[in-house]
């Protein structure tokens, strides 16, 4: 008997999981290490145990549910994602990757299919990063990219410590975080963008994730009285910053393929309604799938800001605050995703991920790949986030085939 994804069961599991932290407008609020996070973890663990899995929890709360393979020495094929959400998050971001992994195991059980390597379904802790220090905490720690103690000592805005909250919800595990071999890591996720829906393609084989460079720009002018200083004698730092934001937006349109450039956070000083702003600090988030282009963009952005500062007699300082290089997923695993879609007759296209994911961290220590499915109107990090049962099932069928092929590869 061939293992088959059960579309209704997969959908029903999503709807059951979405009840935990459900918001009035049909979304989900399940912040990391809260009571809702605990309940969602408990439900996953219950389902995984019912599917015959052994549960391990590591010291930062990552959960691994293992379906044994026939070769006890084989490194596992791992698949999963996260169960935490944004404050006004959707039902599918993260949950889909976990529940698709669970459906793979359930489908294999139904058909009595064994694999050579074991299969681990993973729930990574705190992917969203909206409560503690930063995002992808669990997977980054697993990959050795963040010091474990620093993660455990992180505090939320109320001063509650990550490690204490982890213990409070009962997921301060005893397994060491990281340190075991992963044969392959697959993550299914909603696209969180409009490409697949626009193209009418149900599955994306994700070849990598775009790189990101972030900056903080300080524009310095001179405070002055809003009623008395004539317009032609002002050094208005906010006006300069506003013109820079417009110019930065225009820079994006000069590159192909087009990058994304966002000015998302602005601080105006003294931020008084009748004082001409003497200083304005703003952030730039720039992203592109080529590292070389990111460097060219940086030069162009700097030149655009310098030109405006010079024209207006303003001071300018631009500091690079973070660099995340482009992530390339494992070519063999990406090919296994394309092959699986091909064998199933499911249309599939190569694509880049616009967002960061746990898979981007795991790619540092193991071969990794992702499978995307469409989400309605490309909307995510929003209560209105939506996906169809058939698209979720198509992505899971591709995952199932790719996981089994990889787990049986010698
Ligand atoms: Zn996610």
């Amino acid at each position: 008997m061939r293992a088959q994804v059960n579309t209704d069961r997969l959908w029903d599991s999503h709807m059951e999981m979405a009840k935990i932290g459900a918001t009035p407008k049909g979304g989900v609020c399940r912040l990391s290490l809260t009571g809702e996070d605990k309940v969602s973890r408990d439900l996953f663990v219950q389902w995984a145990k019912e599917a015959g899995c052994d549960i391990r929890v590591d010291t930062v709360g990552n959960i691994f549910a293992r379906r044994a393979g026939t070769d006890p020495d084989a490194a596992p094929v791992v698949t999963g994602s996260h169960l935490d959400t944004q404050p006004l998050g959707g039902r599918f971001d993260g949950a889909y990757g976990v529940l698709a992994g669970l459906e793979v195991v359930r489908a294999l059980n139904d058909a009595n299919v064994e694999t050579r390597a074991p299969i681990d379904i993973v729930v990574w802790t705190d992917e969203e990063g909206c409560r503690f220090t930063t995002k992808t905490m669990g997977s980054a720690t697993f990959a050795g990219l963040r010091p474990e103690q620093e993660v455990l000592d992180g505090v939320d805005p109320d001063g509650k410590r990550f490690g204490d909250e982890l213990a409070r919800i009962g997921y301060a595990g005893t397994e060491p975080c990281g340190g075991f071999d992963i044969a392959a890591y697959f993550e299914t996720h909603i696209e969180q963008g409009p490409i697949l829906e626009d193209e009418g393609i149900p599955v994306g084989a994700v070849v990598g994730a775009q790189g990101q460079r972030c900056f903080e720009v300080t524009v310095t002018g001179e405070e002055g009285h809003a009623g008395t200083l004539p317009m032609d004698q002002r050094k208005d730092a906010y006006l300069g910053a506003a013109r820079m934001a417009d110019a930065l937006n225009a820079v994006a349109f000069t590159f192909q393929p087009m990058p994304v450039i966002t000015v998302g956070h602005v601080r105006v000083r003294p931020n008084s309604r009748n004082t001409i702003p003497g200083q304005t600090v703003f952030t730039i988030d720039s992203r592109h799938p080529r590292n070389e282009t990111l460097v060219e963009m940086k030069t162009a952005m700097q030149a655009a800001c310098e030109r405006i500062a010079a024209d207006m007699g303003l001071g300018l300082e631009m500091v690079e605050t973070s660099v995340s290089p482009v992530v390339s997923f494992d070519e063999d695993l990406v090919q296994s995703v394309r092959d699986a879609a091909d064998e199933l007759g499911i249309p599939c296209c190569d694509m880049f991920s616009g967002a960061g994911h746990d898979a981007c961290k795991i790619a540092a220590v193991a071969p990794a790949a992702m499978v995307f499915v469409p989400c309605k109107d490309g909307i995510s990090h929003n209560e209105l986030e939506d996906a169809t049962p058939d698209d979720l099932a198509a992505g899971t069928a591709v995952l199932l085939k790719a996981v089994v092929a990889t787990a049986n590869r010698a």
Side-chain angles (χ1 to χ4, degrees):
M1 185 177 163
R2 277 242 317 278
Q4 291 265 310
V5 167
N6 181 326
T7 305
D8 291 339
R9 177 172 60 192
L10 178 66
W11 181 258
D12 292 346
S13 298
H14 280 84
M15 294 307 105
E16 199 62 30
M17 189 59 84
K19 288 180 186 167
I20 304 166
T23 60
K25 285 186 185 159
V28 176
C29 176
R30 221 161 38 220
L31 298 191
S32 188
L33 310 190
T34 58
E36 288 80 19
D37 189 8
K38 175 194 166 45
V39 177
S40 71
R41 287 163 172 261
D42 288 350
L43 180 60
F44 168 74
V45 167
Q46 180 201 323
W47 282 342
K49 282 182 176 168
E50 285 166 7
C53 293
D54 286 327
I55 307 294
R56 306 174 337 264
V57 181
D58 73 19
T59 46
V60 300
N62 297 320
I63 306 170
F64 296 85
R66 173 163 298 188
R67 182 180 194 266
T70 54
D71 178 354
D73 297 327
V77 173
V78 180
T79 185
S81 192
H82 58 97
L83 289 173
D84 67 313
T85 74
Q86 291 285 320
L88 293 174
R91 298 172 292 172
F92 304 98
D93 176 1
Y96 174 47
V98 173
L99 298 175
L102 183 67
E103 179 58 31
V104 164
V105 166
R106 286 170 166 173
L108 291 172
N109 289 348
D110 289 349
N112 262 316
V113 174
E114 291 190 310
T115 55
R116 187 185 69 81
I119 297 169
D120 279 358
I121 316 163
V122 63
V123 177
W124 302 110
T125 296
D126 196 357
E127 193 274 347
E128 295 289 357
C130 36
R131 184 174 172 203
F132 295 96
T133 2
T134 186
K135 58 189 180 176
T136 57
M137 300 270 261
S139 51
T141 310
F142 184 93
L145 302 172
R146 288 187 71 83
E148 182 174 327
Q149 198 56 47
E150 184 189 298
V151 168
L152 294 173
D153 287 338
V155 288
D156 77 357
D158 297 330
K160 289 187 176 150
R161 197 176 152 272
F162 185 103
D164 297 340
E165 289 293 272
L166 191 60
R168 185 181 66 80
I169 68 164
Y171 282 88
T174 52
E175 296 276 326
C177 181
F180 68 88
D181 279 348
I182 289 179
Y185 177 71
F186 290 99
E187 182 168 346
T188 51
H189 207 283
I190 54 166
E191 181 198 336
Q192 304 182 287
I195 296 168
L196 290 173
E197 189 179 60
D198 286 352
E199 303 284 327
I201 296 175
V203 168
V206 187
V207 297
Q210 61 184 348
Q212 179 189 38
R213 283 177 178 257
C214 295
F215 306 87
E216 188 170 83
V217 182
T218 303
V219 184
T220 308
E222 267 171 28
E223 281 93 35
H225 194 295
T228 58
L229 194 63
M231 296 304 283
D232 60 356
Q233 291 174 33
R234 298 183 174 201
K235 288 188 176 174
D236 184 332
Y238 172 70
L239 182 64
R243 287 183 182 161
M244 288 174 200
D246 187 40
L248 291 165
N249 183 272
V251 165
F253 288 81
T254 63
F255 289 90
Q256 274 302 328
M258 204 188 294
V260 283
I261 298 177
T262 307
V263 174
H265 181 93
V266 183
R267 297 195 303 278
V268 181
R269 287 182 204 158
N271 208 20
S272 162
R273 69 186 66 183
N274 43 25
T275 298
I276 297 156
Q279 190 189 66
T280 297
V281 180
F282 66 88
T283 58
I284 307 173
D285 176 321
S286 68
R287 307 192 201 200
H288 195 275
R290 283 184 68 236
N291 286 322
E292 299 76 14
T293 308
L294 280 165
V295 175
E296 292 167 23
M297 285 159 57
K298 175 183 173 177
T299 307
M301 292 191 295
Q302 184 130 28
C305 291
E306 278 168 1
R307 196 182 62 243
I308 290 164
D311 281 355
M312 298 178 69
L314 299 167
L316 179 76
E317 193 190 14
M318 182 164 158
V319 177
E320 193 159 48
T321 50
S322 73
V323 180
S324 307
V326 173
V327 174
S328 297
F329 288 136
D330 184 79
E331 184 46 43
D332 288 346
L333 292 195
V334 175
Q335 189 56 43
S336 73
V337 170
R338 295 185 194 113
D339 290 346
D342 201 39
E343 285 167 37
L344 292 162
I346 297 172
C348 172
C349 65
D350 282 5
M351 60 192 306
F352 258 91
S353 174
H357 293 287
D358 291 310
C360 303
K361 303 300 173 191
I362 300 309
V365 289
M370 294 189 76
V371 178
F372 275 179
V373 299
C375 59
K376 189 169 185 294
D377 301 328
I379 292 172
S380 184
H381 284 195
N382 186 313
E383 291 168 280
L384 300 177
E385 181 184 280
D386 204 2
T388 70
D390 286 345
D391 286 343
L392 296 180
T396 307
V398 169
L399 175 72
L400 171 63
K401 230 179 198 339
V403 164
V404 170
T406 309
N408 287 335
R409 207 166 56 189

